[in-house]
Amino acid sequence: MKLSKKSDYALRAMIYLSMNYQRGAVQIKEISAKEKIPQKFLENILLALRKAGILNSKMGLRGGYELARSPDLITLGDVIRVLDGAIAPVNCVSQISYKPCSVEVTCVIRGVMMDVRKAITDVLDTITFADMCKRVKDSLEKKESEVLTYAI
Amino acid sequence: MKLSKKSDYALRAMIYLSMNYQRGAVQIKEISAKEKIPQKFLENILLALRKAGILNSKMGLRGGYELARSPDLITLGDVIRVLDGAIAPVNCVSQISYKPCSVEVTCVIRGVMMDVRKAITDVLDTITFADMCKRVKDSLEKKESEVLTYAI
DNA sequence: CCAATTGTCTATTAATATGGTAGATTTAGT
DNA sequence: ACTAAATCTACCATATTAATAGACAATTGG
């Protein structure tokens, strides 16, 4: 039940690109440095996101990556699915058995896991990277005012 | 974001033991056979649950395992935490940094993951094994009535 | 055109987690 | 004492995760 490093890095890179939307192509190198993500690892991640149609890339000098569409049209779920595959913990039940056997309780577990999946996706498929940018800005403002308060 | 085989087996064994609550000690061998779980693997799992205080065991002849308390006092979350550790996907952010740096977006991801954790635990910490027993019985009744319908 | 820069692709590696097994030991009932 | 059960310690194979290496392709500025 854990977010992989890959998805974690992907989210961070996506937030960075969202904060820099309309600035044009941003280089892997820059994202890697600012977000402290191993560059070569990040290459694979961004490549996967490009192949999934979430990012666009430009090769060569002054090339880089940028969002393929507006941040408010990309959800966290979109990104996590690319890196980690399906979000649902449903493969706990591989094959559905139709035997009306009194100890065949797997379908019951399956039922609960469907609920869990829904609970997760209700969060991840709702929050967009535009929301994330807003949260970043809010948290920065809050921090600044806190600093001010402490200074006084 | 996946339930481990270990937790899956644990849930199944726990449902089995809940269905057989007040019958006294049940042997690993029986659970293993009925739920088709590798016996030696199941040993480790039940041992972990006993050490966590969720099961009681009796050694020796006619020994076995039984719930340490009533099924309605044990939640799915209790069990999963024992086998898979913390449910929260929060270690995506290891250390909290207080730098008010404009690209320090980790805390924002952390915030979302707290929401996800809450969504998951709202399900898993609410459903008890008594509920699971009820679901098993309901699904059996439903199947029987379906069979009847098809037979007519 | 050329050289520098940047993304693309294919492998490989190291570390860790997962799923499962083996066998000796302890405990308790008959 | 004998037997059936849990317990403990250790091990192994495989898969996944996280990360790295290096050759290759495309683009642009000069």
Side-chain angles (χ1 to χ4, degrees), chain B residues 28-29 43 47 50 57 61 65:
Chain B
I28 295 178
K29 209 198 313 185
E43 282 184 24
L47 207 51
R50 201 220 59 185
S57 65
L61 196 57
Y65 282 97

Side-chain angles (χ1 to χ4, degrees), chain A residues 48-65:
Chain A
L49 289 171
R50 199 219 59 185
K51 284 177 180 171
I54 292 174
L55 296 179
N56 284 332
S57 65
K58 235 175 81 183
M59 287 178 86
L61 195 59
R62 296 186 58 79
Y65 281 96

Side-chain angles (χ1 to χ4, degrees), chain A residues 88-107:
Chain A
V90 189
N91 27 7
C92 54
V93 191
S94 44
Q95 67 263 47
I96 299 162
S97 147
Y98 289 116
K99 287 183 201 165
C101 158
S102 64
V103 288
E104 228 356 309
V105 294
T106 46
C107 49

Side-chain angles (χ1 to χ4, degrees), chain A residues 24-86:
Chain A
V26 177
Q27 286 85 17
I28 296 177
K29 208 198 312 185
E30 177 182 336
I31 305 172
S32 157
K34 291 286 180 66
E35 291 296 335
K36 294 184 184 64
I37 304 170
Q39 183 169 336
K40 277 296 192 176
F41 199 32
L42 185 57
E43 283 184 14
N44 301 329
I45 294 168
L46 297 182
L47 208 50
L49 289 171
R50 199 219 59 185
K51 284 177 180 171
I54 292 174
L55 296 179
N56 284 332
S57 65
K58 235 175 81 183
M59 287 178 86
L61 195 59
R62 296 186 58 79
Y65 281 96
E66 61 190 340
L67 301 189
R69 54 185 188 276
S70 168
D72 62 320
L73 296 179
I74 311 173
T75 70
L76 303 195
D78 293 335
V79 170
I80 293 176
R81 276 192 198 85
V82 171
L83 284 315
D84 283 2

Side-chain angles (χ1 to χ4, degrees), chain B residues 71-120:
Chain B
D72 62 320
L73 296 178
I74 312 172
T75 69
L76 303 195
D78 293 334
V79 171
I80 293 175
R81 275 192 198 83
V82 171
L83 284 314
D84 284 2
I87 285 172
V90 189
N91 27 8
C92 54
V93 190
S94 43
Q95 66 264 49
I96 299 164
S97 146
Y98 289 116
K99 289 182 200 166
C101 157
S102 64
V103 288
E104 228 354 308
V105 294
T106 47
C107 51
V108 177
I109 294 175
R110 194 179 132 96
V112 175
M113 289 306 148
M114 298 285 254
D115 293 348
V116 172
R117 202 221 61 207
K118 189 178 182 313
I120 298 174

